[in-house]
Amino acid sequence: MRPLKTLKKLYDDESHIITTEKGSPPRVMFYGEDFWVEDLPVGTRVICARPPLEGVPNLKAAIRYAINHPEGMDPLHALLKPGMKVTVALDDISLPLPPMKTPDVRQAVLEIVLELLADSGVDDVHLVIANALHRRMTEAEMKRMVGQTIFDAYYPDRYYNHDAEDPDGIVELERTSHNEVVAINRRAAESDLVIYVNINLVPMDGGHKSVGTGLTNYESLRAHHNPQTIRDSDSYMEPGRSQLHRSTERIGRVIDQHCKVFHIETTINNRMFEEPVGFLMKKEEDFTEFDRLKLQSFKYALSKMPRALKRKMFFNIYAPYEVTGVFAGATEPTHQKTLEMSWKQYSVPVQGQSDIVIFGMPYVSPYNVNSILNPLLVQVMALGYLYNLNRGVPLVKKGGVIIFTHPCYDEFDPEHHAPYIEFFNRLLPETRDAVKLEHKYEREFAKNPSYVHLYRKGHAYHGAHPFYMWYWGENGRQHVGKVIAAGAENNHVPAIMGWDRTDTLSEAIEEARGFMGRGASISFVKIPPILQTDVRL
Amino acid sequence: MVPLFERRPDLERAGVIRVWLFDDSATMVDQCLGPSMNDEVVSFITGEVEAELQRRWISKGRAVRYLHDWRSITTYEAHGRERLIEWGKVSKAHTAEAAICLSRSASAFIRIAAVTGVAVLRMLRIPISVVDDLEPLLAPLRSRRAG
């Protein structure tokens, strides 16, 4: 008889994998702002997330403990002196997804840190959103993130978005050993102390990437936000096997030599949904009659709503995440702790790759909070984020097929995604070659005065950002043999992207089997909640 | 393409663009005839047309209404778009109103080019909009004496 420890491990490893049998229930999956309920072929491997880890029992105590017992640095209170200049940088609205219920964990951290700063006689404090080339957050979003009291005390003069295009707002430091430009926000560079408040949704985030990308400019981002770096990354969700992270580490180490940076990183569990859509957190085998009723009611209600209203409704569903860990101190040892906790939540061991992998595509990505998941973002979700949610070995075999479910509507938000529209309509019909796009057009878009203006004064992503979205899908694009958009409501979006389309998931699976062979193995990754496959070959 | 007004245009590049000028309301109306907002069109607007506007109205301190009938446009050159936006910016002080009319069936590509430009100019508080029907703005001009 196997020892209990081995049996428990076996159970832990395998309870997240379900092999579809004849009587298996249909699977619920996102189809943009709708749900599909689909029977999958017998033998399909369904990969489910781990259940949510338990949150820390007392968040304030956990934050206080972390800043008083940091990794590789003195406690925060010991770093503070009256009259010093401090910049607190914050992750932006791209994290977490969906946005969390208030109070946001960033608010909880700030309440403690700002009180400590005030008690220590530190009055020169600025809060800077580390949005890099992302859109500026709106006033309402900024208020929601930090709460009314902090907002009233700091906004707008001492609480603002980073501006990567402010000619006087960026300082260039020495270059890395690989000649990478190191540039950061002037206020941060000239501060006696930078405190970075991170919220870690996926292992790609945090660590050296926080300051090195969040507070930098286009010239510095070019070092790693390029097609070759992504091609050279086995998965950018696994820092140890990511060229992207090697570059950000080199940049971050230069920053750490010039600036004192105290990181406060937080991890959250994967409790992304609760009632009335709590069924999304369950395996279909565990559905009660009431869950099925809610699902059907929800589907019915969605079928009666225009898309814009559905979108609005979904963006009003906030996630009841719980904080699972708070870690503080120097960049690398702090982030190592964060990664361990992150993997504890997300990592799901899987035996072997599949010929065909199916993803349900949700309505949200990091770049369309309160906006539209446009075709480029559908691409970055399919071939970027979902493909890369692995620990270095992709779930889909080389030359295999990715199927995702989304209408692929040709809709863009002109306020947030103006440069995306030109990229999609003008550049992609000319070429899908990421290297060509980079060399021929990236700088034109990045320097386009209208796009710079919309980024700085409006709420638009930077002109270089659609290129990054395309590059983010580059290792997926190089790896797979075919992409099928199941349920695409038009021909031209999949055609521009280089994908096939089908009306239904069954047709997509048939086509994929035609491509890979009748005996092709199939996996369905049941996201949400988020998981990261740890494929063992 | 049918001319917007019965009288002859005040400025014209045959087969490319027609421009009418109305002195009493300091209104300039242009009608693009080709499918592309290319360098030739942009140079004509920002060069010859601008010079005439300067001579007639701007030098005399009058604010100009700009009505652009760009329904024929189906493509553009990025550089040309930027030149037009730049022209819009430097015209801020003497712009009373501006409207760009696109075809109702204009592609997202064209629509976004206009919307991007308009967004930039609006941030500078220039009163400009994208419309799909110029008639309400043109009708009063038809009953007035030409400039």
Side-chain angles (χ1 to χ4, degrees), chain B residues 13-32:
Chain B
R13 181 151 294 180
V16 178
I17 187 170
R18 304 174 181 130
V19 179
W20 291 268
L21 304 171
F22 297 85
D23 271 332
D24 52 355
S25 58
T27 300
M28 165 267 199
V29 182
D30 66 72
Q31 181 184 31
C32 284

Side-chain angles (χ1 to χ4, degrees), chain A residues 59-81:
Chain A
L59 178 57
K60 288 198 168 184
I63 296 166
R64 286 207 172 88
Y65 184 86
I67 62 178
N68 288 330
H69 302 83
E71 310 290 329
M73 274 182 109
D74 289 332
L76 182 56
H77 63 80
L79 301 174
L80 304 177
K81 287 182 190 143

Side-chain angles (χ1 to χ4, degrees), chain A residues 89-309:
Chain A
L90 305 159
D91 275 342
D92 75 352
I93 198 169
S94 59
L95 298 165
L97 297 173
M100 71 192 299
K101 286 182 153 186
T102 53
D104 191 290
V105 65
R106 285 162 284 211
Q107 176 183 338
V109 171
L110 282 177
E111 282 169 355
I112 289 169
V113 167
L114 295 177
E115 187 183 354
L116 179 62
L117 292 173
D119 290 348
S120 306
V122 181
D123 301 322
D124 186 358
V125 180
H126 283 208
L127 312 181
V128 182
I129 298 170
N131 52 295
L133 304 189
H134 294 176
R135 71 172 175 88
R136 295 185 324 125
M137 287 174 66
T138 65
E139 189 179 324
E141 290 165 344
M142 289 170 74
K143 188 189 290 182
R144 189 178 185 278
M145 189 161 88
V146 300
Q148 185 77 50
T149 308
I150 294 172
F151 182 82
D152 288 346
Y154 287 85
Y155 182 84
D157 298 335
R158 295 189 299 148
Y159 176 32
Y160 47 84
N161 292 279
H162 165 70
D163 182 353
E165 288 291 343
D166 178 359
D168 301 321
I170 299 284
V171 175
E172 208 167 298
L173 309 176
E174 71 194 46
R175 295 196 174 202
T176 69
S177 55
H178 287 57
N179 204 33
E180 292 148 320
V181 174
V182 183
I184 67 164
N185 179 288
R186 179 180 291 281
R187 163 76 202 190
E190 293 176 352
S191 290
D192 300 305
L193 178 66
V194 175
I195 301 170
Y196 196 101
V197 180
N198 151 277
I199 180 163
N200 220 88
L201 182 69
V202 287
M204 181 183 77
D205 307 317
H208 283 300
K209 194 166 169 289
S210 292
V211 177
T213 62
L215 293 177
T216 191
N217 64 359
Y218 168 65
E219 298 301 336
S220 185
L221 285 168
R222 290 183 67 217
H224 41 76
H225 279 47
N226 61 62
Q228 197 54 50
T229 301
I230 301 301
R231 284 181 186 179
D232 293 343
S233 299
D234 292 334
S235 165
Y236 46 71
M237 294 293 175
E238 176 72 20
R241 302 183 68 167
S242 161
Q243 193 64 36
L244 171 75
H245 285 82
R246 280 191 273 282
S247 177
T248 57
E249 280 162 19
R250 286 191 295 271
I251 289 171
R253 284 176 191 143
V254 171
I255 293 170
D256 281 354
Q257 281 167 16
H258 287 79
C259 309
K260 187 173 276 187
V261 185
F262 187 89
H263 289 263
I264 303 173
E265 298 203 337
T266 59
T267 53
I268 50 179
N269 63 14
N270 63 0
R271 200 182 298 283
M272 300 169 84
F273 294 100
E274 61 179 358
E275 299 313 330
V277 284
F279 55 83
L280 288 169
M281 296 294 296
K282 287 185 176 179
K283 295 171 189 160
E284 289 76 1
E285 279 77 357
D286 299 336
F287 275 21
T288 62
E289 280 307 312
F290 191 45
D291 287 325
R292 288 190 197 95
L293 189 67
K294 279 186 290 187
L295 170 62
Q296 290 309 324
S297 313
F298 219 82
K299 267 178 67 69
Y300 178 78
L302 288 171
S303 73
K304 300 291 171 202
M305 288 184 199
R307 188 173 284 148
L309 187 61

Side-chain angles (χ1 to χ4, degrees), chain B residues 2-144:
Chain B
V2 181
L4 292 173
F5 301 95
E6 282 178 9
R7 71 174 172 89
R8 284 190 58 192
D10 296 283
L11 299 163
E12 184 172 16
R13 181 151 294 180
V16 178
I17 187 170
R18 304 174 181 130
V19 179
W20 291 268
L21 304 171
F22 297 85
D23 271 332
D24 52 355
S25 58
T27 300
M28 165 267 199
V29 182
D30 66 72
Q31 181 184 31
C32 284
L33 306 174
S36 176
M37 181 57 76
N38 55 26
D39 226 30
E40 185 184 11
V41 182
V42 174
S43 296
F44 186 73
I45 294 174
T46 59
E48 286 177 50
V49 176
E50 172 66 13
E52 184 61 15
L53 298 180
Q54 288 284 350
R55 189 185 68 76
R56 285 192 185 213
W57 303 324
I58 299 167
S59 60
K60 294 168 187 159
R62 297 186 69 186
V64 181
R65 292 172 75 219
Y66 299 86
L67 307 181
H68 306 289
D69 179 359
W70 292 350
R71 286 175 294 175
S72 69
I73 298 295
T74 57
T75 185
Y76 66 87
E77 290 170 6
H79 178 61
R81 181 188 63 183
E82 289 318 304
R83 285 178 61 199
L84 280 176
I85 293 172
E86 214 38 57
W87 177 63
K89 282 186 192 172
V90 299
S91 303
K92 179 186 172 183
H94 50 259
T95 300
E97 179 190 7
I100 298 169
C101 182
L102 299 178
S103 161
R104 284 195 174 91
S105 58
S107 65
F109 178 48
I110 289 299
R111 208 158 274 282
I112 190 57
V115 170
T116 301
V118 164
V120 171
L121 298 176
R122 275 193 175 167
M123 278 180 202
L124 298 171
R125 300 187 186 284
I126 296 172
I128 180 167
S129 55
V130 178
V131 299
D132 53 19
D133 184 9
L134 267 185
E135 271 313 303
L137 297 168
L138 298 182
L141 297 171
R142 294 210 171 95
S143 58
R144 287 177 196 168

